[in-house]
Amino acid sequence: MFHFLPTMPRHRHAWPALIFAALLLLTVIHGYAQTQPLINSRLSGRIVDGKSREPIPGATVQIKGTTHGVATDGEGRFAFVTGQPFPYTLIITSVGYKRVEVIVEHTQIEIPLEPSQSQLSDVVVIGYGTQKKSDLTGAIASVSGPLLRQPVSSFDQALKGAAPGVQVTQTSGQPGGGVSIRIRGGASIQGGNEPLYVIDGFPVYNNAVTAGTITGTPVNPLNGINPSDIETIDILKDASATAIYGSRGANGVVIITTKKGKADRSILSYEGSYGVQSLRKKVDVLNGREFAALRNDVLYDVNPSKGKFQYLSQAQIDSVGKGTDWQDAAFRSAPQQNHQLTLSGGSAKTRYYLSGNYFQQDGIIRHTDFTRLGIRANIDAQPYDRLKTGASITASRSDGNVAPSGIINSLLIMPPTATIYEPNGGYTLRNPFENIFANPYATIVETLNKATTNRFFGTAFAEYKILEGLQAKVLFGADVNNTHEKSYIPSTIYEGQQTKGAAGRGEYTSYSWLNENTLSYARQAGRHSFDVLAGFTQQEFSSDVVRSGAQQFVSDDLTYNNLQSGAVLVRPWSEATQWVLHSWLGRVNYNYASRYYFTASIRADGSSRFGKGNKWGRFPSAAASWRVSNEPFFKDFSRAISDLKLRASFGTTGNLEIGEYQSLATLYSLTYLFGNTVATGFAPNRLPNDKLGWETTVQYNAGIDIGFFDNRLTLSLDAYRKKTRNLLLNVEIPWTSGQTSSLQNFGSVSNKGLELTASSKNLLGEFTWTTDANASINRNEVLSLGNGARSYISGNYIIQVGQPLGSFYGTVTDGILQTGEEHTKGKFTGNAVPKPGDRLYKDINGDGTFTTAADRAIIGNAQPDVILGLNNNFSWKGFALSVFLQGTFGNQVLNANRQALELFTGQQNAAGSARDRWTPENPSQTIPRAKLDPAPVFSDRFIEDGSFLRLKNVSLSYTLPKQFTGKISTVQVYVSAQNLATWTRYTGFDPEVTSGSNVSPGTDQGIYPLSRTILGGLKVSL
């Protein structure tokens, strides 16, 4: 029997289900065929962080009023193919960012998101750990983003104006030059005043290292750290934050955190830039004709009987023209370039960041430059659930050709009637007049003055989770530095004539190792939350210096590469030093209900640098804060005031930067001639001081953090007072001891001030505008000097009780002596035979006459009244603009270059003010006459207003849309300008100058000037 029908189901109840399924399928097919919608729009876009412009993966993008939504990929990109016609509204949400609604009218869009808590949930790096920004009790400033992307050779230069209470001043504008940083004012008189740098956990004090072979400003040691590798810089300012670093925290702590790879994201990127630097302004000096007239006036003043044209006749003067412009000859437009290749990424278990960098900067003075070649590897791994490991390693080589010392001053005072070359083609060796100094152009071009530094720097750690909340961490680190210096002065220039060529080689080698062992425990029980840290650290440092040289070479061709060919060997010199620091530390953080926060820490340091009775110092701190905005009663104010926190702290920190072996009796070697025999022996040069102890700083801080309108506007205000006592000072001792002074603990200095930070999100959406501003004031005062002393004079400065450090001490000008006033006012010129046109000075002590030594007063101060920083960031679609202003106001600068230029002796060039000098036909009341008197008198004439407002950095970038880049993740082009404009009354090259000394900080004496830089760059990421 044949069956024409399908086999019947075994279960009769299956029939209704099959029939229903068949009907449903037919309905769906029919409906799809009849009602398939048209595709009305296609949309692709990218979600990015509103501040960093980095992509945000995993963000949710939904069309409002529908269920149509997608998530962004690893590059922050998304795409829609939808029946919704334009325009429609997108809703974008992402963890940690504010919800945004955007109306879409085009097929391409980039949407920036803003942090949801005004970065209160950001993590800040503190000593030996991290903490949420919202949980901080201390005063900490963070620097990241555009400010760290400035085209600088070292990261410390990027801190100018970036944080309140942090004064950053360039010590030299030469390539690779360093800066001096004062956090909340300088306190030590003879000890170190620079902050402690902690780079990926390794503490470093930025001492400029040199073997003593080259002259000029040494290259900045921090140049070995590539700024492009840095993620954030956190600056610890108050004692609550810095006390965990104990004996090295008195001057603040700058914590550097380098970049890490991100899990599930592999990025290969290249960034390159090229630019040109130029001199911002020239110093106004006399040209050839003007100098010749000045010299004629001087010679006529010395001997009128020989007439008014003793140097050059009027016809010769007319033929001289402008003469030699020594500034034009020495300064140049100089290129700067930077290239970096980075590979980063990882998985859930391993993250990596690898980079290679090449930076090259020619100086605006010929024959000066700086080059760095560096590599970095940051690896973080979690091989087991309980074990985390990591390593941060960098190696760099830098080469710098350094400007010889005093070269700027020589360029200014070299007469314009002198020529660079003689008619025979050889160099003009020196100034042709009575004041002898070398041809500065020949010195620059022919002198070899080179330093090469190889540096290895790295840390590695292992962190093990013993129990829930209990972790043990061990960290090891090493810093190895080798600096080799080479110099040669050829016989063809003035400096090498007598020696017939002088060569020198020197080597500085240092090695420092670090071991940190810490236990941390964190727990939360209900509304109570706390974490505890305890640990032991040890660090040792050793250095070795050696140098040698030779003179009288047959040929200059081999320069410093064949010392043995010199007929006269220079006596060799060597030195080795060592120090050790052992420390115990502990800290407790507690908070209740995210409203009440308490922090207490203590550190005990044992240093080999101090006397045997005072090697250990103890440095405690405590802090508390109240998050008022989290109180229940504050809900009524939350719409206007979204965040409010009050802070207070107290603590003690120390300073051990006094050099090695200062507490011990030391000897120095010397030679003595016995008949015809030279004998070498030793003599004491320091007395022991077993009581030499720590210079300590006690600091109080009170602060308030407040946010308005969902933190669209945030403000932070801090007030502080620091008192540094037991200053490390060299004090006079009886000569019967065999020595003139001894380093002892005497005196105290205070710093007190206010700091204000403001951040504003002015506009949000497709066009964003944010502003970050900071202002700070600091008042410094010497409280006591000990041993009954009221003041010490140090050159053109005075350290006086009741006055700030950096006080200028000199005479006060009082006009110009006019014809007929010789008998009444001549005694106030300081000259035995006064003449009309001489400068008058005030009789400070009231004894009826003027003398330079007796009639001096405080005539200014290098401490600024206010320091400002203002940064505006704009973004629109793919464009981003950053404008950064920096300012310092209320400080004075000693223009020592001007002091030399206003001698008007005719032996050297003079300032442009000499055009208005006193003559019988031009009885000036401010500018003295020309006269042959090479002895300068330091006066308030040379103390200038050092205030300035600078357009520090302007950067404009454009990120190309995806349709132009294809598979390339990011293509960004940018232009940037640094030091683009400076508004100041200062007449020198640049008002931003310092010697780096806390006693004499504001002297401009031959400092290599800062340059203006304009560059363009490209960034590509795959």
Side-chain angles (χ1 to χ4, degrees):
M1 184 175 181
F2 298 96
H3 299 279
F4 296 98
L5 295 174
T7 304
M8 296 178 62
R10 294 182 181 181
H11 302 286
R12 60 180 182 178
H13 296 294
W15 276 102
L18 287 173
I19 294 171
F20 176 77
L23 291 173
L24 179 62
L25 179 61
L26 290 171
T27 302
V28 171
I29 293 173
H30 180 267
Y32 181 81
Q34 297 296 322
T35 63
Q36 181 182 7
L38 297 174
I39 298 173
N40 286 318
S41 64
R42 298 175 184 269
L43 172 68
S44 62
R46 190 165 179 256
I47 309 299
V48 298
D49 184 284
K51 192 167 188 179
S52 68
R53 315 304 296 181
E54 292 290 325
I56 301 175
T60 300
V61 184
Q62 182 180 350
I63 299 176
K64 189 174 184 180
T66 73
T67 59
H68 197 171
V70 296
T72 58
D73 62 15
E75 299 301 326
R77 302 190 183 279
F78 69 92
F80 279 117
V81 178
T82 176
Q84 297 288 329
F86 290 123
Y88 50 80
T89 301
L90 293 181
I91 302 173
I92 302 96
T93 58
S94 181
V95 177
Y97 292 89
K98 291 183 178 181
R99 179 179 181 272
V100 173
E101 293 189 11
V102 177
I103 298 175
V104 181
E105 297 178 342
H106 306 287
T107 58
Q108 288 283 337
I109 190 170
E110 181 175 281
I111 304 172
L113 298 185
E114 296 298 323
S116 58
Q117 289 290 326
S118 184
Q119 299 183 337
L120 290 176
S121 60
D122 283 359
V123 173
V124 176
V125 180
I126 59 176
Y128 305 96
T130 59
Q131 198 171 19
K132 280 186 178 181
K133 197 170 184 179
S134 59
D135 295 347
L136 292 176
T137 56
I140 299 178
S142 296
V143 181
S144 60
L147 292 179
L148 288 183
R149 293 195 287 270
Q150 299 179 58
V152 292
S153 59
S154 64
F155 65 84
D156 49 356
Q157 296 175 14
L159 298 179
K160 296 179 182 179
V166 181
Q167 182 185 7
V168 183
T169 310
Q170 199 91 16
T171 56
S172 173
Q174 78 174 13
V179 300
S180 176
I181 295 182
R182 296 291 182 269
I183 297 179
R184 294 187 165 182
S188 184
I189 294 179
Q190 290 181 223
N193 280 282
E194 299 295 320
L196 176 71
Y197 296 89
V198 180
I199 305 171
D200 286 332
F202 197 103
V204 175
Y205 192 81
N206 189 31
N207 283 320
V209 295
T210 176
T213 302
I214 63 174
T215 63
T217 305
V219 172
N220 182 4
L222 294 179
N223 279 321
I225 307 298
N226 176 19
S228 299
D229 288 334
I230 296 176
E231 184 73 29
T232 60
I233 298 178
D234 296 291
I235 304 171
L236 315 185
K237 297 185 290 185
D238 73 330
S240 170
T242 61
I244 197 68
Y245 289 101
S247 62
R248 294 185 287 186
N251 302 315
V253 180
V254 178
I255 299 181
I256 312 300
T257 304
T258 57
K259 294 178 180 178
K260 309 289 185 183
K262 297 180 180 180
D264 301 323
R265 289 185 62 197
S266 293
I267 301 175
L268 176 64
S269 64
Y270 163 79
E271 182 174 2
S273 64
Y274 183 88
V276 177
Q277 310 157 87
S278 59
L279 182 66
R280 187 183 72 85
K281 61 167 288 189
K282 292 167 59 178
V283 172
D284 182 26
V285 294
L286 300 182
N287 62 29
R289 288 190 298 267
E290 293 166 340
F291 172 79
L294 173 69
R295 182 161 176 80
N296 275 337
D297 285 355
V298 170
L299 296 177
Y300 178 76
D301 181 73
V302 173
N303 191 350
S305 63
K306 292 185 177 182
K308 291 188 176 183
F309 295 97
Q310 299 177 35
Y311 172 49
L312 295 177
S313 67
Q314 187 60 54
Q316 290 173 318
I317 291 176
D318 294 338
S319 66
V320 166
K322 292 184 178 181
T324 303
D325 190 322
W326 293 94
Q327 294 181 72
D328 280 351
F331 289 106
R332 63 180 178 180
S333 293
Q336 173 182 314
Q337 59 180 314
N338 184 54
H339 304 276
Q340 172 140 338
L341 189 65
T342 303
L343 176 65
S344 66
S347 63
K349 293 289 187 181
T350 305
R351 294 180 297 153
Y352 59 88
Y353 176 91
L354 309 173
S355 74
N357 172 256
Y358 174 76
F359 178 85
Q360 196 273 333
Q361 179 185 11
D362 286 348
I364 57 174
I365 293 180
R366 300 179 185 277
H367 208 216
T368 61
D369 56 58
F370 172 79
T371 303
R372 177 185 62 236
L373 183 65
I375 58 174
R376 170 170 288 279
N378 288 351
I379 309 294
D380 293 279
Q382 190 171 1
Y384 305 102
D385 290 341
R386 290 178 175 268
L387 179 64
K388 294 180 181 179
T389 61
S392 297
I393 299 171
T394 184
S396 66
R397 175 187 173 90
S398 61
D399 293 277
N401 285 303
V402 179
S405 61
I407 200 66
I408 298 295
N409 186 62
S410 297
L411 286 172
L412 296 177
I413 64 176
M414 191 69 172
T417 54
T419 57
I420 297 176
Y421 300 100
E422 297 286 3
N424 62 7
Y427 284 113
T428 299
L429 294 179
R430 65 174 184 86
N431 170 32
F433 306 117
E434 297 84 353
N435 192 359
I436 298 174
F437 50 89
N439 178 340
Y441 182 87
T443 302
I444 292 170
V445 174
E446 299 298 331
T447 299
L448 299 179
N449 207 36
K450 185 172 184 177
T452 299
T453 298
N454 297 299
R455 190 168 191 178
F456 171 86
F457 190 93
T459 58
F461 75 89
E463 187 176 78
Y464 185 75
K465 184 178 180 180
I466 302 172
L467 299 170
E468 187 64 34
L470 180 62
Q471 295 178 323
K473 182 178 181 180
V474 178
L475 181 143
F476 286 95
D479 181 12
V480 182
N481 188 342
N482 177 262
T483 298
H484 195 88
E485 297 177 351
K486 294 164 281 189
S487 68
Y488 188 75
I489 303 174
S491 59
T492 54
I493 64 175
Y494 178 75
E495 298 95 317
Q497 259 197 330
Q498 296 298 320
T499 60
K500 296 182 180 179
R505 298 191 72 134
E507 188 167 9
Y508 172 92
T509 302
S510 67
Y511 168 71
S512 178
W513 66 266
L514 170 75
N515 168 234
E516 294 179 351
N517 310 276
T518 58
L519 276 174
S520 61
Y521 180 67
R523 185 178 179 184
Q524 185 166 352
R527 295 188 172 187
H528 302 274
S529 177
F530 68 91
D531 62 81
V532 181
L533 172 74
F536 171 75
T537 75
Q538 50 187 338
Q539 185 173 1
E540 294 190 12
F541 173 90
S542 60
S543 68
D544 187 35
V545 180
V546 61
R547 61 176 179 260
S548 58
Q551 297 176 355
Q552 295 190 14
F553 291 88
V554 176
S555 169
D556 292 324
D557 292 340
L558 297 177
T559 64
Y560 43 67
N561 293 313
N562 199 261
L563 296 183
Q564 62 271 25
S565 65
V568 176
L569 297 180
V570 177
R571 188 181 184 191
W573 188 88
S574 64
E575 181 184 54
T577 60
Q578 216 173 10
W579 57 258
V580 178
L581 181 69
H582 290 174
S583 308
W584 297 91
L585 58 94
R587 180 177 60 213
V588 177
N589 291 318
Y590 168 80
N591 90 69
Y592 174 75
S594 296
R595 298 202 296 264
Y596 311 110
Y597 298 85
F598 300 93
T599 298
S601 69
I602 188 169
R603 177 165 176 144
D605 282 329
S607 172
S608 61
R609 298 184 179 186
F610 294 102
K612 61 183 180 181
N614 285 303
K615 290 193 179 296
W616 283 89
R618 292 164 184 81
F619 307 97
S621 76
S625 66
W626 178 25
R627 193 78 177 277
V628 183
S629 55
N630 282 355
E631 294 284 0
F633 68 79
F634 200 80
K635 291 182 179 179
D636 295 337
F637 307 97
S638 60
R639 294 188 65 181
I641 304 176
S642 47
D643 184 63
L644 177 61
K645 182 168 69 173
L646 306 178
R647 297 176 282 105
S649 68
F650 158 83
T652 302
T653 49
N655 190 346
L656 53 67
E657 296 301 328
I658 58 170
E660 294 78 22
Y661 315 124
Q662 296 294 313
S663 67
L664 304 176
T666 56
L667 305 174
Y668 73 101
S669 62
L670 72 164
T671 57
Y672 195 80
L673 188 64
F674 290 97
N676 295 323
T677 304
V678 177
T680 300
F682 291 89
N685 67 339
R686 183 183 296 121
L687 296 177
N689 183 2
D690 293 342
K691 295 182 179 179
L692 187 66
W694 302 85
E695 185 176 276
T696 58
T697 297
V698 179
Q699 184 175 179
Y700 301 87
N701 189 92
I704 179 172
D705 304 320
I706 186 168
F708 299 94
F709 312 115
D710 199 21
N711 290 327
R712 287 284 296 269
L713 173 65
T714 60
L715 301 173
S716 291
L717 178 65
D718 281 88
Y720 63 87
R721 180 181 176 87
K722 297 197 311 182
K723 181 180 179 181
T724 303
R725 57 194 181 192
N726 297 322
L727 294 176
L728 294 160
L729 290 174
N730 275 311
V731 298
E732 293 182 358
I733 57 176
W735 285 18
T736 53
S737 65
Q739 302 296 323
T740 59
S741 64
S742 172
L743 187 66
Q744 299 181 24
N745 294 105
F746 276 115
S748 60
V749 171
S750 78
N751 285 277
K752 53 187 176 182
L754 294 172
E755 300 169 353
L756 175 65
T757 304
S759 295
S760 172
K761 297 178 178 65
N762 307 312
L763 294 174
L764 299 177
E766 192 173 35
F767 178 80
T768 65
W769 171 25
T770 63
T771 300
D772 297 296
N774 69 80
S776 55
I777 61 174
N778 181 77
R779 297 295 178 263
N780 177 273
E781 182 183 356
V782 177
L783 300 179
S784 67
L785 291 172
N787 210 23
R790 295 290 300 173
S791 65
Y792 289 103
I793 297 174
S794 177
N796 295 324
Y797 292 81
I798 187 170
I799 306 168
Q800 182 173 311
V801 174
Q803 297 294 328
L805 293 170
S807 294
F808 301 108
Y809 193 62
T811 62
V812 180
T813 58
D814 195 23
I816 303 296
L817 186 70
Q818 301 298 323
T819 303
E821 296 180 341
E822 296 91 333
H823 297 292
T824 56
K825 295 184 177 180
K827 55 188 175 182
F828 301 120
T829 64
N831 298 325
V833 182
K835 287 185 177 182
D838 287 342
R839 191 179 294 282
L840 293 169
Y841 299 93
K842 287 188 176 181
D843 177 16
I844 301 297
N845 64 2
D847 62 358
T849 189
F850 168 79
T851 57
T852 302
D855 292 304
R856 287 183 289 175
I858 294 176
I859 53 177
N861 189 268
Q863 302 272 358
D865 293 334
V866 181
I867 301 172
L868 298 176
L870 177 64
N871 190 35
N872 280 283
N873 293 298
F874 308 88
S875 65
W876 177 70
K877 295 186 177 180
F879 291 95
L881 173 66
S882 176
V883 181
F884 179 41
L885 290 165
Q886 169 208 1
T888 299
F889 304 93
N891 62 301
Q892 282 82 43
V893 173
L894 164 54
N895 191 343
N897 297 326
R898 180 180 175 183
Q899 182 178 1
L901 288 169
E902 289 200 350
L903 289 176
F904 302 165
T905 62
Q907 297 178 345
Q908 61 187 40
N909 204 3
S913 58
R915 302 183 191 101
D916 299 320
R917 62 186 177 274
W918 188 98
T919 64
E921 297 76 27
N922 179 44
S924 171
Q925 292 289 345
T926 55
I927 310 299
R929 65 186 174 93
K931 63 177 179 178
L932 188 62
D933 184 1
V937 176
F938 175 55
S939 72
D940 59 350
R941 168 76 181 173
F942 312 113
I943 303 299
E944 298 189 34
D945 183 2
S947 303
F948 69 90
L949 178 64
R950 170 168 285 156
L951 187 52
K952 182 63 181 174
N953 191 71
V954 179
S955 179
L956 175 64
S957 66
Y958 177 66
T959 302
L960 273 66
K962 181 64 177 177
Q963 65 261 35
F964 296 112
T965 62
K967 294 183 179 181
I968 301 176
S969 173
T970 303
V971 177
Q972 185 184 83
V973 293
Y974 62 89
V975 291
S976 178
Q978 199 172 34
N979 301 329
L980 187 60
T982 302
W983 297 273
T984 182
R985 295 179 180 176
Y986 184 63
T987 62
F989 285 114
D990 197 277
E992 188 184 335
V993 292
T994 184
S995 64
S997 165
N998 213 34
V999 174
S1000 55
T1003 298
D1004 182 7
Q1005 187 165 19
I1007 292 179
Y1008 195 123
L1010 294 177
S1011 62
R1012 177 190 289 118
T1013 305
I1014 299 176
L1015 57 81
L1018 169 69
K1019 182 177 181 181
V1020 179
S1021 297
L1022 300 176

